[in-house]
Amino acid sequence: MRQTTETFRSRYRAAIHPLYNPWLHGMFVLLFGILAIAAFWRTVLSVSWLEWLTVPLTLLLFNFGVYMVHRHLGHQKKAFAKMFYARHAGDHHSFFTPGHMTYDSARDWRVILFPAWLIVIHTLLITLPLWWLLAQVNANVAGLFAGCMVLGYLLYEVFHACEHLPPQNPLSRLPWIRQMRRLHELHHRRERMQERNFNIVLPLMDYLFGTLYREPEPAPLRYSKMPMTRMQHEIDIAGEPVAVLAYAASVSHWPDWHPSSLKIDAPQGPLHAGARFEEDIHAGGRAGHLRWEVTEYLPGRRWCARAQSDQGLSLRLTYECSAEAGGTRFVRTLEYRFDGLLMRLANRLLLKRRIERESAASMLALRDTAAQFIGAARASA
């Protein structure tokens, strides 16, 4: 049976060396790259306009190289590149899947960034010999070329990391990064990963080779600033906070424990920030259809999502967990609002009490189903 994304993530994180420091990893790559670029560009003097063409041409060459390596080595198993294939198609594409495209903590950079030693290999064994050869012909072209080869590497690392940021991060909203983030998200679909969207920084080669694939972004959910009805319930559940929240955030299980949830269209496993799903409900005596967007997932601590219906209903849902003696204190906060005047009046007179009862009942059902699920998972481990 194929393991879920969350199961793979847990196993991958457990295998990371305890001394791994993501900040040291990132800073080493960045500082080494900047110093290498500075060293190469120090050899450049009095550049002519024709020599300046080396910069865009080198970046285009690097873009082409990334495309070819990603397409033909990252997604096609070759004997001489099996380690890269296993790390990319195996680890990276199992860690980041549709609905799970964002990292949860800096330690997850381990599966995004290349190993720290690779920039040293790229600089000393590839770029430096090419610089020496070109320097025999033109020192300025050699310096510009070598610096841009390292710059291309850094751009790849930075853009790739940005493409796995949560959607609400300010960097994710920058137009260029937003577009590349969307293309990369489509690339991570299992049916597309071997065929489409191999570029990371600029989709030029995808365009030229016919592998560019686009889909419009889902329409954003819009919310008014009117006050919301708020209700909060809490309960103690047997199990560790990480396991309890992972179960509650696995929205495909909602119909198992929430009386208002009828049908869920969503991937298996806990959904991460940026994931979207749809739900058929019958709440407060009324049927409806909700479009959800997950806004935050901090394993073992907090999960948030928001939703809208076509009938003018807006919701915010928050799950929070904290360790208690022998288990987890689970807190569920529901905030909702009706846009129409009649529905707001009906909510005040009738619906609020019904929804309150349904929410309280759901907590009791969650306690039982979560404990059973977690217990079964432990027994089969």
Side-chain angles (χ1 to χ4, degrees), residues 36 39-44 123-124 126-147 149:
F40 285 125
W41 283 355
R42 282 191 64 186
T43 65
V44 174
T123 302
L124 299 183
I126 299 175
T127 304
L128 188 61
L130 292 174
W131 169 82
W132 183 84
L133 287 173
L134 287 173
Q136 309 309 307
V137 180
N138 187 308
N140 283 345
V141 169
L144 291 172
F145 170 83
M149 284 287 286

Side-chain angles (χ1 to χ4, degrees), residues 256-320:
D256 297 337
W257 57 269
H258 200 294
S260 300
S261 183
L262 303 180
K263 181 182 177 183
I264 296 284
D265 181 11
Q268 297 291 318
L271 299 190
H272 290 237
R276 291 172 179 254
F277 62 97
E278 300 195 14
E279 179 187 22
D280 292 333
I281 63 169
H282 192 275
R286 300 180 72 251
H289 182 81
L290 296 176
R291 294 180 293 116
W292 287 89
E293 179 183 28
V294 181
T295 58
E296 183 180 24
Y297 179 42
L298 301 175
R301 295 164 53 195
R302 181 181 172 92
W303 184 88
C304 304
R306 57 186 185 177
Q308 272 191 335
S309 77
D310 296 332
Q311 291 80 33
L313 171 64
S314 301
L315 298 96
R316 285 201 300 259
L317 181 64
T318 303
Y319 297 156
E320 294 174 292

Side-chain angles (χ1 to χ4, degrees), residues 67-370:
Y67 175 88
M68 298 301 289
V69 169
H70 190 179
R71 180 178 182 180
H72 296 292
L73 300 183
H75 290 285
Q76 296 181 28
K77 190 179 294 186
K78 308 287 186 182
F80 65 90
K82 59 183 179 181
M83 184 174 74
F84 175 65
Y85 176 85
R87 177 180 172 84
H88 183 75
D91 293 345
H92 184 74
H93 275 266
S94 296
F95 197 97
F96 296 108
T97 60
H100 303 78
M101 282 296 292
T102 60
Y103 61 84
D104 294 329
S105 71
R107 286 183 66 82
D108 291 344
W109 294 354
R110 175 66 179 78
V111 76
I112 298 175
L113 301 177
F114 287 129
W117 51 261
L118 189 59
I119 192 172
V120 180
I121 299 297
H122 171 76
T123 302
L124 299 183
L125 298 188
I126 299 175
T127 304
L128 188 61
L130 292 174
W131 169 82
W132 183 84
L133 287 173
L134 287 173
Q136 309 309 307
V137 180
N138 187 308
N140 283 345
V141 169
L144 291 172
F145 170 83
C148 287
M149 284 287 286
V150 181
L151 176 61
Y153 187 102
L154 291 184
L155 287 174
Y156 178 97
E157 291 281 60
V158 170
F159 268 73
H160 193 202
C162 289
E163 286 159 17
H164 290 286
L165 286 170
Q168 66 270 21
N169 188 286
L171 290 176
S172 299
R173 302 192 189 106
L174 296 176
W176 191 352
I177 291 177
R178 178 182 174 184
Q179 291 300 318
M180 294 309 302
R181 187 178 182 277
R182 176 60 175 163
L183 294 178
H184 194 58
E185 179 183 17
L186 296 173
H187 168 72
H188 270 259
R189 291 182 183 175
R190 190 158 294 276
E191 71 274 16
R192 305 282 182 197
M193 58 186 278
Q194 292 182 313
E195 301 174 354
R196 302 290 184 175
N197 297 355
F198 299 102
N199 277 136
I200 298 296
V201 177
L202 181 70
L204 178 61
M205 298 304 157
D206 277 312
Y207 175 78
L208 294 177
F209 286 95
T211 55
L212 182 62
Y213 177 76
R214 297 179 183 272
E215 280 186 14
E217 290 188 90
L221 301 179
R222 302 185 183 277
Y223 302 89
S224 71
K225 296 182 179 180
M226 295 175 57
M228 304 183 85
T229 301
R230 185 177 188 272
M231 52 186 65
Q232 187 174 85
H233 300 83
E234 58 184 67
I235 198 167
D236 292 334
I237 300 176
E240 297 291 327
V242 170
V244 170
L245 186 58
Y247 178 80
S250 299
V251 301
S252 59
H253 291 304
W254 282 4
D256 297 337
W257 57 269
H258 200 294
S260 300
S261 183
L262 303 180
K263 181 182 177 183
I264 296 284
D265 181 11
Q268 297 291 318
L271 299 190
H272 290 237
R276 291 172 179 254
F277 62 97
E278 300 195 14
E279 179 187 22
D280 292 333
I281 63 169
H282 192 275
R286 300 180 72 251
H289 182 81
L290 296 176
R291 294 180 293 116
W292 287 89
E293 179 183 28
V294 181
T295 58
E296 183 180 24
Y297 179 42
L298 301 175
R301 295 164 53 195
R302 181 181 172 92
W303 184 88
C304 304
R306 57 186 185 177
Q308 272 191 335
S309 77
D310 296 332
Q311 291 80 33
L313 171 64
S314 301
L315 298 96
R316 285 201 300 259
L317 181 64
T318 303
Y319 297 156
E320 294 174 292
C321 289
S322 59
E324 294 289 332
T328 297
R329 172 62 55 87
F330 182 88
V331 181
R332 178 182 185 268
T333 304
L334 173 66
E335 299 170 280
Y336 67 92
R337 173 184 53 244
F338 293 101
D339 291 341
L341 178 61
L342 290 178
M343 289 306 302
R344 292 202 299 272
L345 181 60
N347 178 61
R348 183 180 294 271
L349 296 176
L350 178 64
L351 296 180
K352 180 180 178 181
R353 289 193 295 273
R354 288 185 176 180
I355 295 173
E356 182 86 36
R357 288 196 299 269
E358 291 168 358
S359 295
S362 74
M363 297 295 282
L364 297 174
L366 172 63
R367 180 190 61 190
D368 297 337
T369 57

